[in-house]
Amino acid sequence: MELREALRTTGAVREFTDAPIERATISAILDDARFAPSGGNRQSWHVIVVEDRERRRRVRDAYLDAWHDYVAHSLAGLVPFSPLADQRDRDLASAQRSAAEAASRPEGFAERLDEVPVMLVVTADLSVLAAVDRDLDRYTMAGGASVYPFVWQIVLAARDRGLGGVMTTMAIRNEPDVAFALGVPDGHAVAAVVALGHPMSRLTRLRRRAVSEFATIDSFDGAPLLAPTS
Ligand SMILES: Cc1cc2nc3c(=O)[nH]c(=O)nc-3n(C[C@H](O)[C@H](O)[C@H](O)COP(=O)(O)O)c2cc1C
């Protein structure tokens, strides 16, 4: 697939056919994805291909519990899990938890996560991560930048093979449960749960902000960078 087309059309796929995917295909996908960049080229990632039914269910349970929290935040009119949320926001979200659970659909992605054709859990070795913002007086995010390009390359490499998928982070909210289920050692963080499979439906056009809405000249409030001409 041509690179620019892949960049512009690789969206989240959460519904898959039952067609199985061979370990060899997963290995080939990871063999492409491993060329992702990382801080200091330290490649902190580890990938667990979760095949065992019970372990999958435990990852699903960790995800689903967090998903209910996500829906609760949405019902409360909040941005789910914003690092800038205060106690009042947390209380508003908690008050919607029961309603969120009641809205659960048996056929939903979260509810059926354990049934996806491929479940990959990506972890990161914190001892080799370059979290350059760790001493700032704000929420840290630079460390993740050494892992998520790799995770995204997994989705792109799957796409190149006619597969679809989605990078998810919801289960991290219950990281201890996921770590216990999969034997993730101390000092390693759960970075993502990636679902892959043959897409159930065809791709739709992705909705994204225009360049002029997020790029400016010289300062954050500078003149917008104009839209590309071609
Ligand atoms: C860092 C990150 C975390 C995400 N976490 C989840 C998740 O936990 N569950 C999920 O269903 N999708 C997750 N997504 C997928 C986003 O929801 C998706 O990329 C976004 O809504 C755009 O969807 P589209 O590509 O279909 O337009 C995540 C994406 C990123 C980049």
Side-chain angles (χ1 to χ4, degrees):
M1 166 174 274
E2 201 254 324
L3 177 59
R4 196 184 303 175
E5 190 198 344
L7 293 175
R8 296 177 73 102
T9 63
T10 305
V13 175
R14 299 186 184 84
E15 290 182 81
F16 309 105
T17 70
D18 291 334
I21 293 169
E22 302 287 318
R23 280 187 188 170
T25 303
I26 300 170
S27 178
I29 288 169
L30 297 180
D31 194 39
D32 288 341
R34 71 192 172 92
F35 292 96
S38 59
N41 196 23
R42 292 208 182 81
Q43 305 166 52
S44 66
W45 52 76
H46 180 100
V47 178
I48 303 168
V49 184
V50 189
E51 296 181 340
D52 178 73
R53 287 272 142 223
E54 182 52 29
R55 291 181 200 259
R56 277 175 162 241
R57 272 195 285 272
R58 283 153 76 177
V59 173
R60 186 273 318 272
D61 289 348
Y63 186 106
L64 184 57
D65 175 73
W67 170 245
H68 288 147
D69 275 348
Y70 182 97
V71 174
H73 280 78
S74 301
L75 291 174
L78 301 166
V79 174
F81 314 130
S82 163
L84 303 185
D86 57 20
Q87 191 55 47
R88 184 176 161 276
D89 293 335
R90 290 170 192 271
D91 294 343
L92 286 170
S94 295
Q96 295 296 328
R97 170 78 192 201
S98 307
E101 287 177 24
S104 206
R105 299 174 302 122
E107 74 282 13
F109 174 72
E111 289 79 356
R112 299 186 57 197
L113 181 63
D114 54 316
E115 297 171 27
V116 295
V118 174
M119 177 190 286
L120 305 177
V121 173
V122 182
T123 63
D125 181 350
L126 296 177
S127 69
V128 301
L129 268 198
V132 294
D133 57 354
R134 64 172 201 178
D135 297 323
L136 294 181
D137 187 19
R138 65 151 171 77
Y139 171 79
T140 69
M141 57 186 293
S146 279
V147 182
Y148 293 113
F150 168 71
V151 178
W152 183 238
Q153 293 236 126
I154 292 174
V155 178
L156 287 175
R159 175 89 197 283
D160 193 45
R161 291 167 173 79
L163 304 176
V166 61
M167 157 193 333
T168 78
T169 49
M170 207 69 64
I172 300 171
R173 194 160 168 80
N174 292 311
E175 179 176 83
D177 296 344
V178 177
F180 183 71
L182 305 180
V184 178
D186 287 348
H188 293 245
V190 176
V193 177
V194 182
L196 299 176
H198 290 275
M200 186 73 95
S201 54
R202 296 211 302 151
L203 299 167
T204 54
R205 194 157 177 267
L206 301 182
R207 290 185 302 126
R208 300 291 189 262
R209 291 190 294 155
V211 172
S212 57
E213 291 177 50
F214 62 78
T216 53
I217 308 294
D218 285 337
S219 67
F220 196 91
D221 62 354
L225 179 66
L226 295 180
T229 49
S230 62

